[in-house]
Amino acid sequence: MSTSSAIQWHDTRLAAVRKWESACPYEDFIDDGAIEEALSTQANPDKAHTLAIVEKARDNARAGAMLSPEDVAVLANTQDRDCWEAIYDAANWIKRAVYGNRIVLFAPLYISSPCVNNCAYCGFRTSNDAVSKRTLTMDELDEELAALVGQGHKRLVLVYGEHPSSDHEFICETIARTYSVRRGYGEIRRANINAAPLFVDEYEAVRASGIGTYQVFQETYHHETYRKVHPQGTLKGEYRWRQFALHRALEAGIDDVALGVLFGLYDWRFELLAMLHHAVALEKAFDIGPHTMSYPRLEPALNTPLATRSPHVISDEDFKRAVAIIRLMCPYTGSILTARESPAVRREVMRDGGVSQMDAGSRIAVGGYAQMEHEHIPDRQQFILGDARSLDEFVYDLCRDGYLPSFCTAGYREGRTGANFMPLAKHATVNRFCIANGVLTFKEYLLDYASPETRAIGERVIHTYLEWIDANVPQLADKVRQNLEREGQNQRDLHF
Ligand code: SAM
Ligand code: SF4
């Protein structure tokens, strides 16, 4: 596609976006002044008050309630070591109570990098000639999918730049292609997407193609910072259009939506409160909260000074705090920690932050899985990954630390999405199915893909979780054992 037709596409779309914004039926739910005030009012919180909020968060996990913005401001401001330890303890406890001690695994699949936007932090921005951009052909997509299912992945997030060559019709085509791949027992059972905001009719088409979760990150909720890093005159420069992307997706009937921020663009405490306001706004309008929250941290990208020089770069310690507070403030929302982080940071944040989903064996160059041996291809990547472990190594490490690696995708295929999923997650009953499905999908991985070392340690993990099922969900125990036997006889995709 020529540059001039991409510019024309962009300008026509921007005019339509602005028309939508001028008739936008929703109120801006981010009041910057009120958030700053909540943070400054709670600048030096009392220890007893802070610990009482931590206890409230534990109670909330059973009742499915969120903390208030004032509570979150208290937690974010505490400087007391004991309070931090109490927050980490509670995050870990809530994660186990709501989700069980499992980690759901997925991989990102970058499908296109050409982009009409010019986000100051992103290697794919239109003005960055140091990164070469491209869109996978359908044949190349097949190669990527073959490599991914060959590792054992069942769940992907497909990632796209915003460009006429990757419009909603292309997104639908790539989703269909993704679900059609078969390699032995290998297949993709859930394709989530991370793509730029769309119109409601476009979302309807994407929903019909069978996506799992739709993710779009606000990057920063702080209006002034948003304007600084997303140039005016670009589609991404339109704050409200992006702010209500998930509202439009829910209007279109997409059940599972996911929000996020890019930590490092503005004060992390502000972003936490803003994410909470976003979750509340979705609940208010649709009775459905966010399915997951993501909190990528700014990573270095080729020829992208802001990515390393932002005044709001967040330290490892504060990052861990932020993730733990997310677990306390929205106990029923999945929490995604990506391979942007180093293995050491991931290990610690997973434990103390109550994380529930992680990507593994990731490659983020467009076409990167077909060249798996190259951990980094900087001139084709949006940023540089921190964790390049293979899926098998990652699974081994999870087992060593006592987690149950899960490839489960049953929830949405059994209709546990949106309004049906929320009560299960909010009353901490979803883990009954999830541990059982986690065990079954992990066994498939061990049978079909694992190295001998991972298989040995993995069998011990399965044994431990069978005991958990015996003790906590005895009504499923026989069925799980029968299904494990059937898997041993080469049956697959058995789930509750
Ligand atoms: N183009 C779509 C959009 O902007 O919504 C798709 C998302 S983009 C390919 C995926 C996400 O990567 C962005 O939403 C942003 O949060 C994150 N990202 C961009 N630049 C980054 C960087 N330098 N380090 C870490 N994450 C980055
Ligand atoms: Fe494009 Fe997304 Fe990168 Fe912005 S973050 S330049 S919209 S790919």
Side-chain angles (χ1 to χ4, degrees), residues 231-251:
Q232 293 306 288
T234 62
L235 285 164
K236 190 124 166 201
E238 301 298 307
Y239 183 104
R240 293 196 105 196
W241 171 244
R242 196 163 182 93
Q243 185 184 27
F244 295 108
L246 300 182
H247 282 64
R248 290 191 302 279
L250 284 160
E251 275 180 46

Side-chain angles (χ1 to χ4, degrees), residues 121 159-160 194 217 219 236 242 297 299 340 382:
Y121 45 81
V159 186
Y160 306 84
N194 184 321
F217 307 153
E219 320 295 12
K236 190 124 166 201
R242 196 163 182 93
R297 260 202 299 190
E299 298 298 332
R340 287 173 178 83
Q382 189 187 19

Side-chain angles (χ1 to χ4, degrees), residues 431-433 435-436 465-482 496:
N431 69 7
R432 295 182 190 163
F433 301 103
I435 296 283
Y465 283 89
L466 280 174
E467 286 178 350
W468 184 93
I469 292 170
D470 288 338
N472 295 281
V473 212
Q475 66 276 24
L476 288 187
D478 284 347
K479 191 77 184 151
V480 172
R481 284 194 171 78
Q482 282 162 20
F496 297 97

Side-chain angles (χ1 to χ4, degrees), residues 111-127:
I111 294 194
S112 67
S113 49
C115 189
V116 292
N117 295 309
N118 219 359
C119 310
Y121 45 81
C122 177
F124 290 163
R125 68 191 184 284
T126 194
S127 62

Side-chain angles (χ1 to χ4, degrees), residues 135-410:
T135 301
L136 292 179
T137 63
M138 290 298 145
D139 286 345
E140 288 169 332
L141 175 57
D142 286 344
E143 281 179 41
E144 294 290 283
L145 290 165
L148 282 159
V149 299
Q151 286 185 56
H153 279 294
K154 299 285 187 278
R155 173 192 281 255
L156 301 180
V157 55
L158 311 182
V159 186
Y160 306 84
E162 183 163 23
H163 193 266
S165 62
S166 51
D167 62 4
H168 78 280
E169 286 174 358
F170 175 78
I171 292 175
C172 293
E173 196 185 344
T174 51
I175 293 163
R177 195 79 169 204
T178 299
Y179 283 129
S180 72
V181 70
R182 293 280 179 283
R183 290 286 185 288
Y185 293 124
E187 61 180 347
I188 297 304
R189 298 177 184 158
R190 179 171 175 126
N192 301 330
I193 68 165
N194 184 321
L198 299 173
F199 288 96
V200 172
D201 59 329
E202 296 171 335
Y203 281 129
E204 282 167 352
V206 169
R207 178 183 62 83
S209 71
I211 62 159
T213 308
Y214 169 62
Q215 301 184 328
V216 69
F217 307 153
Q218 189 66 20
E219 320 295 12
T220 172
Y221 287 90
H222 186 248
H223 287 80
E224 193 190 326
T225 306
Y226 190 93
R227 268 193 298 279
K228 279 191 196 150
V229 296
H230 303 113
Q232 293 306 288
T234 62
L235 285 164
K236 190 124 166 201
E238 301 298 307
Y239 183 104
R240 293 196 105 196
W241 171 244
R242 196 163 182 93
Q243 185 184 27
F244 295 108
L246 300 182
H247 282 64
R248 290 191 302 279
L250 284 160
E251 275 180 46
I254 293 177
D255 268 352
D256 288 344
V257 295
L259 56 82
V261 289
L262 182 53
F263 275 137
L265 295 178
Y266 189 60
D267 180 357
W268 63 272
R269 298 173 180 86
F270 181 101
E271 306 292 13
L272 279 187
L273 267 73
M275 283 165 109
L276 177 61
H277 283 292
H278 197 168
V280 170
L282 291 171
E283 286 245 358
K284 203 166 136 199
F286 301 95
D287 240 357
I288 298 176
H291 189 70
T292 54
M293 288 191 185
S294 295
Y295 32 80
R297 260 202 299 190
L298 265 185
E299 298 298 332
L302 202 61
N303 191 32
T304 307
L306 181 73
T308 40
R309 287 197 216 132
S310 164
H312 296 286
V313 162
I314 168 173
S315 69
D316 289 354
E317 189 65 34
D318 283 345
F319 180 63
K320 186 167 86 166
R321 293 174 175 181
V323 177
I325 294 174
I326 287 172
R327 181 66 301 137
L328 268 59
M329 80 181 187
C330 289
Y332 62 84
T333 296
S335 167
I336 302 182
L337 177 64
T338 71
R340 287 173 178 83
E341 305 299 332
S342 69
V345 168
R346 289 184 111 191
R347 190 175 188 199
E348 198 172 322
V349 174
M350 181 172 25
R351 186 193 61 219
D352 290 340
V355 171
S356 59
Q357 292 193 26
M358 294 171 91
D359 57 325
S362 305
R363 294 292 181 267
I364 58 166
V366 177
Y369 291 103
Q371 297 174 28
M372 196 67 200
E373 69 284 6
H374 297 288
E375 294 181 358
H376 308 290
I377 312 177
D379 63 349
R380 279 182 19 214
Q381 290 185 190
Q382 189 187 19
F383 52 86
I384 307 299
L385 274 189
D387 185 354
R389 277 175 290 177
S390 71
L391 177 59
D392 194 70
E393 287 168 315
F394 190 79
V395 165
Y396 181 93
D397 289 348
L398 283 182
C399 293
R400 185 200 53 207
D401 292 343
Y403 296 97
L404 172 66
S406 171
F407 294 86
C408 174
T409 57

